[in-house]
Amino acid sequence: MKVLLTGGTGFIGKAVLSRLDRKHEISIFGRTKPEPKYEFVKGDLRNLEAVSRATNNIEAIIHLGAVLVDKDPVETMEINTMGTFNLLEAAVKNNVKRFVFASSIQAIGDAVYLPINEDHPCKPKNIYGLSKLMGEELCSFYSRLYNLSTISLRIGGVLDWKDLSKKPGDWPEILWSCVDVRDVTHGIDLSLDVEVTKNEILFITAADQFSAESIPILVKKHFPRVKISKDFLSRERASFFDISKARKVLGYQPKYDYHTYIELQKKGIAHE
């Protein structure tokens, strides 16, 4: 399959290339040139003409390219939202068959109930989260009006847990929900092939949360007024995000969980 990848020089992008370059014919679109072994199309996501040229004769798009930090809200919205719009416009124009969009759990905002599933209300708390939510809406719009096959992956905080410096932390802003980069690429890989008839929005996180504290303690401390599932409370290490839909739609099975990694690390065993 001929695949166009945006964000190919970033952390996730490099991992995607490592996993998929033997399975697919991948070209990279962006402003920064990648390794020479990959076909590179230089351009800016904000330039519709450049995006249209890059998507010519492409069968699928993996859209990872984004501004990750809200230093400049205008730039964040231009690149993240208008960039996604331009890619979707070009995808329709050039008869692209599949569009995989890297969204974020930050599209959600504060929890109304736990665990959070795809039906949870979205009230993002920063421009980045808002831009990702708008990207999801654009995917739904183009899927509905033009029958473009789209999948929006709400990805947790991405870590490379081969880095032994990573420790459990107090990160309530992302509900202690991380995911190994290898599991992210697993989800993206599956998204290229599965049959969908609408924009599927799916959570991609680890199966567990990565606080050193258990679910009951975290809920009591941080969510005293939030509706909690009894089943969720009984599972001490469950993710705050329900990944059952990703399991069902994609066959997603996260292989790497933080607490297993910590135990292996203590024993000096590599988590591969």
Side-chain angles (χ1 to χ4, degrees):
M1 183 185 297
K2 292 185 177 180
V3 178
L4 181 71
L5 173 66
T6 72
T9 58
F11 177 47
I12 302 176
K14 290 177 181 177
V16 167
L17 287 168
S18 178
R19 183 183 182 104
L20 299 183
D21 67 350
R22 294 181 182 178
K23 296 176 62 176
H24 302 287
E25 185 180 335
I26 300 178
S27 57
I28 300 172
F29 177 82
R31 294 179 291 181
T32 304
K33 191 172 183 178
E35 295 178 27
K37 64 183 289 189
Y38 300 109
E39 181 181 347
F40 175 58
V41 182
K42 187 175 179 63
D44 193 304
L45 286 168
R46 293 168 288 189
N47 186 321
L48 179 56
E49 185 177 344
V51 170
S52 294
R53 287 197 302 269
T55 53
N56 190 35
N57 296 320
I58 291 293
E59 297 172 87
I61 295 171
I62 300 172
H63 180 30
L64 305 179
V67 174
L68 304 180
V69 183
D70 290 347
K71 290 182 179 179
D72 183 345
V74 173
E75 182 183 50
T76 299
M77 291 301 287
E78 285 180 347
I79 293 176
N80 294 9
T81 305
M82 284 305 299
T84 302
F85 168 81
N86 286 340
L87 274 170
L88 288 163
E89 274 285 300
V92 170
K93 175 184 176 183
N94 289 312
N95 297 312
V96 173
K97 304 303 181 185
R98 173 59 52 89
F99 189 96
V100 181
F101 173 59
S103 185
S104 168
I105 58 174
Q106 293 191 54
I108 295 293
D110 290 331
V112 175
Y113 58 80
L114 292 171
I116 293 170
N117 60 18
E118 287 81 3
D119 295 325
H120 190 284
C122 293
K123 296 183 179 180
K125 300 174 71 174
N126 54 49
I127 292 294
Y128 172 76
L130 176 61
S131 72
K132 288 301 183 179
L133 180 59
M134 293 176 74
E136 293 179 9
E137 290 294 328
L138 284 165
C139 287
S140 294
F141 177 84
Y142 277 82
S143 175
R144 188 171 62 251
L145 263 66
Y146 301 107
N147 294 317
L148 176 63
S149 178
T150 62
I151 295 180
S152 299
L153 302 178
R154 288 177 175 167
I155 300 170
V158 183
L159 297 176
D160 182 353
W161 290 335
K162 291 182 290 184
D163 181 352
L164 300 183
S165 68
K166 303 298 183 186
K167 304 291 182 183
D170 187 28
W171 293 302
E173 65 273 10
I174 59 170
L175 300 183
W176 307 273
S177 296
C178 271
V179 58
D180 189 289
V181 70
R182 294 164 291 185
D183 283 331
V184 175
T185 62
H186 170 55
I188 291 171
D189 188 2
L190 293 169
S191 297
L192 288 174
D193 298 321
V194 69
E195 292 187 13
V196 296
T197 57
K198 61 177 182 178
N199 179 42
E200 292 287 0
I201 298 173
L202 308 167
F203 285 113
I204 299 294
T205 72
D208 70 338
Q209 53 84 14
F210 65 99
S211 171
E213 296 180 316
S214 68
I215 290 291
I217 292 173
L218 291 171
V219 165
K220 184 177 180 179
K221 185 185 294 186
H222 296 277
F223 306 102
R225 297 181 178 85
V226 174
K227 184 179 178 181
I228 310 292
S229 152
K230 289 183 180 179
D231 177 65
F232 180 65
L233 276 177
S234 69
R235 299 162 60 204
E236 290 199 353
R237 297 299 180 190
S239 171
F240 280 80
F241 293 90
D242 182 354
I243 61 172
S244 60
K245 186 180 176 185
R247 293 183 190 273
K248 180 179 179 180
V249 173
L250 297 180
Y252 173 66
Q253 296 292 341
K255 182 179 179 181
Y256 304 97
D257 68 85
Y258 197 80
H259 295 279
T260 299
Y261 170 77
I262 291 299
E263 290 304 311
L264 292 173
Q265 183 182 340
K266 289 177 181 177
K267 297 174 183 178
I269 303 172
H271 190 23
E272 294 292 347

